[in-house]
Amino acid sequence: MYHKEKSIQMKSSASALYNNLSVLRIAPRSLTYFTVVHANMVNMVSASWDGLNYSHRQLQSKEANVATSSSLIMQAAWCVLPSRDILVLTSQKGIQMYESDGSIMVYWHALDTPETQTAQAVFARGIAAVREKYICVGISSGSMLVFDVPIKGSNITLSEVLEEHKESITDLASECSGSLECIADMVSADDSGNLCVWKSGEDFQLLNKIPGFDMSCSSVKLWKGTVVAGYGTGQIRLYEAVTGIVHAEVNAHARWIYSLDIAPFSGLIVHMYNECVTDTQICGAKFCDGDGYAFAVTGYDLSEIIRYTQV
């Protein structure tokens, strides 16, 4: 059972985007960082564990070396690598990578934009840290960019482009159990509901393609070889990553699934709790720790992060 805690106020409200909440736990400093996207801004809140101290920062999407240009941000998420934590922002213009506290931009990657106007929008969406040194980011064309991240510094390089999807990438997820025995360590989802399962390395290998059913897969997770996928139908499906076999299907939601998360240290996936946030379109949900002791949610047009803890 969970108990609702005091909400965290933000400088501006949450946009109606998939997976519009990211959480980073800083145990040595007893802090938790939260990010929520609003239009061309990212609200970043640093909260002490005792709930007494908060600090706010806002990051804006900008083109490299152009102070006045900005574009809509599609997602903000922390990528936790063994050597460092990177805050990644994706937008209509490109991909920005910051030190974990948002203080310094360490890398900028501009998206290729067509010279002539097209019907298809250009943007980046879907972010995942994979194994020791990779950060993967999805693109509206269906491509995925693989960045090689050094232990420190800004010498980040684009090492590979994966091109199995034909529709816009909606979400990426990496193996979150920490197991080195898992064959599959990344899964990608797109607007048609198709899933691709990958093995990382110097060259990423496609292990399996799980077909969709012409409905967007908006959020996906990977845990101990199991893919957990949420769809626009309101369904949640659990697949075996390598074979694509369906383990279970959950039909408890009447509307679009906007966000999924897994607490990797808590054991089996079971139903423990449900909560109705009245008159709110939930657009982000994240556990605040690996044990699932606390979680947080955001909602469209809400200027707060709602938190729950176990009792």
Side-chain angles (χ1 to χ4, degrees), residues 1-7 272-275 288 292-297 305-311:
M1 184 62 67
Y2 287 85
H3 169 75
K4 185 177 180 180
E5 299 286 348
K6 181 181 178 182
S7 296
M272 290 184 59
Y273 180 76
N274 65 279
E275 177 83 10
C288 300
Y293 175 75
F295 71 92
V297 299
I305 299 170
I306 306 170
R307 295 183 298 169
Y308 300 86
T309 56
Q310 281 191 4
V311 293

Side-chain angles (χ1 to χ4, degrees), residues 205-274:
Q205 300 176 26
L206 178 67
L207 300 179
N208 189 23
K209 294 184 76 170
I210 302 173
F213 40 95
D214 295 324
M215 177 55 72
S216 180
C217 176
S218 51
S219 191
V220 68
K221 292 294 173 185
L222 180 61
W223 181 71
K224 292 189 174 180
T226 296
V227 175
V228 185
Y231 296 89
T233 57
Q235 294 173 310
I236 298 173
R237 289 185 172 186
L238 280 70
Y239 301 93
E240 183 177 330
V242 176
T243 66
I245 295 172
V246 178
H247 286 312
E249 184 175 274
V250 180
N251 294 291
H253 294 270
R255 297 183 184 275
W256 204 291
I257 302 294
Y258 264 69
S259 186
L260 289 173
D261 198 27
I262 289 177
F265 307 141
S266 61
L268 298 177
I269 300 173
V270 296
H271 180 259
M272 290 184 59
Y273 180 76
N274 65 279

Side-chain angles (χ1 to χ4, degrees), residues 40 59-63 69-73 89 91 96:
N40 65 343
L59 302 177
Q60 187 173 21
S61 175
K62 297 178 180 178
E63 292 187 67
S69 177
S70 64
S71 61
L72 289 178
I73 297 176
L89 276 57
S91 71
Q96 298 170 224

Side-chain angles (χ1 to χ4, degrees), residues 16-94:
L17 300 168
Y18 302 150
N19 309 300
N20 192 5
L21 176 64
S22 187
V23 177
L24 179 66
R25 181 180 171 93
I26 311 292
R29 298 170 58 193
S30 298
L31 292 175
T32 302
Y33 290 160
F34 300 87
T35 59
V36 178
V37 173
H38 171 81
N40 65 343
M41 303 289 295
V42 174
N43 296 293
M44 181 173 172
V45 183
S46 172
S48 61
W49 289 359
D50 58 15
L52 298 178
N53 297 303
Y54 300 93
S55 64
H56 296 264
R57 181 191 296 271
Q58 287 188 310
L59 302 177
Q60 187 173 21
S61 175
K62 297 178 180 178
E63 292 187 67
N65 303 319
V66 181
T68 59
S69 177
S70 64
S71 61
L72 289 178
I73 297 176
M74 304 302 294
Q75 191 178 4
W78 275 284
C79 289
V80 178
L81 297 167
S83 60
R84 65 195 298 192
D85 301 332
I86 298 288
L87 176 61
V88 181
L89 276 57
T90 63
S91 71
Q92 296 173 311
K93 297 291 186 181

Side-chain angles (χ1 to χ4, degrees), residues 124-145:
R125 178 178 60 191
I127 303 165
V130 184
R131 294 303 185 192
E132 288 79 14
K133 62 175 184 175
Y134 298 111
I135 290 178
C136 299
V137 180
I139 303 297
S140 53
S141 65
S143 299
M144 288 175 290
L145 309 182

